[in-house]
Amino acid sequence: MGSCQPFKDDAPFADKVKTLEDDELLEIWEETQQLAGLLSQQIKAELPLAPEYEQLIVAELQLRHGRRLYAAGMGK
């Protein structure tokens, strides 16, 4: 974990998510989930941690999956 370097520019995360590899997106999502779990334990309450990041990551992964399915279907 934590192998991704911080972004050096001011581009929005919605743009950056398109340039990351699938495993990097999943790593960010996993770390966010772990942090949310730790915070929830500490304050004894459910607290969404950056839900917009999670939504952007899931949407990007779904888009990529759809593209792969489409490309595989076109190859037949």
Side-chain angles (χ1 to χ4, degrees), residues 15-73:
D15 294 338
K16 294 174 187 173
V17 77
K18 296 174 185 175
T19 65
L20 297 171
E21 298 291 328
D22 290 356
D23 60 337
E24 293 173 313
L25 290 173
L26 291 170
E27 184 177 332
I28 292 169
W29 178 82
E30 180 184 12
E31 289 177 359
T32 302
Q33 295 299 307
Q34 289 175 354
L35 287 171
L38 289 172
L39 284 174
S40 293
Q41 288 175 355
Q42 292 293 320
I43 63 173
K44 307 289 190 234
E46 289 296 317
L47 178 66
L49 182 63
E52 64 278 359
Y53 286 163
E54 183 174 358
Q55 291 170 350
L56 288 169
I57 289 169
V58 170
E60 181 65 24
L61 290 172
Q62 287 174 330
L63 177 65
R64 292 177 187 187
H65 180 69
R67 286 179 180 161
R68 283 192 287 268
L69 289 176
Y70 179 75

